[in-house]
Amino acid sequence: MKKRKLLILSLLAFTIFSSKVSAKENFYTNKNNVTFTEQEYTFLTKMYWEGSQDLFTQENYNDFINSNIMNGEFEMFIYEPITLRSTSITDSSKTLKISKSCSTSCLISVTSSWNKIPSVRSYDIIGARFENTSLINNPTTTIISSGSTSYGTDIQLSSNGFGVTAKLPATGTNIVINQTYKVNKGGTVYASYQHAKMTVTLNDSKKYSISSAGYGKVFRFDYAVTNKYDAMNGVSIAV
């Protein structure tokens, strides 16, 4: 529960504004007895993913309301279906989404949802490249499945972006990988999620640079590692 609290707090870790909360209409109540209106539930689904509501405690919900995030400038882009340029995978297996909520800065949320059970569970990579904008805080990367919640902590920062190694859980279904961070307004954020087609080492997963010529316009892998990742298309959003 402590990790879940830290997750939600990190998702909402930007400038707090005062707000007035109107009388609630019960649309959904989670296992922590936290109630959401339909508008709140829909916003969280669009900004993060459907199911993120179940991580909220009452304290998390209060922080969410006080953050005034729902009144920010919101936009979302979904790339679906995703074409995997791999000889071993020929159908759509996951959905990649990027969304933002902006006030004085922009909160970015990137979510990769697996529509199937991955046959390989190794070290995947998720991250971003920036044009005319910059990172304000380190990203929070969360890997959630039906059986576990873990966090990507191996971060490689560069002047034009970053990448985080995300180890897929050994068991469990309904895998979702979410990454959140804040950027300055102005410019474009390019996001990419690269799945390892074969078992790779942690060291292999870090052999890349951030480049517009890379996979998803983000990750340019070293030659020896290039064919180990699926070359999935990326997403982008103006901030």
Side-chain angles (χ1 to χ4, degrees):
M1 183 62 69
K2 183 177 180 181
K3 285 186 176 180
R4 290 183 175 182
K5 177 180 177 181
L6 290 174
L7 165 62
I8 300 301
L9 290 176
S10 65
L11 293 178
L12 304 176
F14 63 104
T15 306
I16 303 299
F17 298 91
S18 61
S19 63
K20 296 182 180 179
V21 182
S22 59
K24 290 175 61 64
E25 295 181 2
N26 187 346
F27 176 75
Y28 177 76
T29 301
N30 70 12
K31 60 185 178 182
N32 296 319
N33 204 33
V34 179
T35 299
F36 299 86
T37 66
E38 183 174 5
Q39 182 183 15
E40 293 162 356
Y41 186 96
T42 300
F43 177 86
L44 290 170
T45 296
K46 289 181 177 179
M47 188 69 188
Y48 303 114
W49 72 95
E50 187 160 19
S52 62
Q53 299 86 349
D54 292 327
L55 301 179
F56 277 69
T57 64
Q58 188 61 51
E59 182 180 357
N60 302 149
Y61 174 81
N62 293 340
D63 290 338
F64 163 62
I65 293 300
N66 290 332
S67 72
N68 206 31
I69 185 177
M70 288 179 59
N71 292 324
E73 176 192 349
F74 178 81
E75 185 178 352
M76 176 180 68
F77 179 79
I78 301 176
Y79 185 93
E80 182 183 22
I82 292 172
T83 301
L84 303 178
R85 283 170 260 166
S86 164
T87 58
S88 61
I89 303 175
T90 58
D91 57 355
S92 176
S93 59
K94 52 192 178 295
T95 301
L96 186 64
K97 177 179 76 173
I98 186 169
S99 53
K100 70 176 184 181
S101 180
C102 298
S103 52
T104 56
S105 60
C106 292
L107 176 68
I108 304 296
S109 174
V110 179
T111 303
S112 179
S113 303
W114 278 87
N115 305 319
K116 296 182 178 181
I117 299 175
S119 58
V120 176
R121 302 188 185 220
S122 191
Y123 292 102
D124 290 357
I125 310 296
I126 185 169
R129 180 175 63 86
F130 306 128
E131 285 188 358
N132 301 317
T133 185
S134 57
L135 189 66
I136 294 176
N137 65 328
N138 281 344
T140 296
T141 305
T142 309
I143 305 101
I144 299 170
S145 73
S146 58
S148 66
T149 299
S150 59
Y151 301 87
T153 56
D154 287 287
I155 304 172
Q156 290 197 136
L157 296 172
S158 67
S159 60
N160 63 335
F162 67 89
V164 176
T165 298
K167 180 69 165 63
L168 292 187
T171 60
T173 59
N174 302 321
I175 297 173
V176 174
I177 300 175
N178 176 258
Q179 189 169 75
T180 60
Y181 46 91
K182 286 173 60 181
V183 297
N184 292 298
K185 294 185 72 173
T188 303
V189 175
Y190 295 86
S192 175
Y193 171 62
Q194 295 301 318
H195 171 61
K197 300 184 295 181
M198 60 189 73
T199 300
V200 298
T201 65
L202 176 60
N203 187 49
D204 279 345
S205 74
K206 298 179 179 180
K207 293 179 179 178
Y208 60 82
S209 60
I210 304 299
S211 170
S212 60
Y215 289 167
K217 296 186 177 181
V218 177
F219 296 115
R220 187 168 187 171
F221 288 97
D222 290 0
Y223 179 77
V225 182
T226 298
N227 67 345
K228 296 182 179 181
Y229 285 88
D230 64 11
M232 185 175 99
N233 289 304
V235 292
S236 63
I237 200 166
V239 294

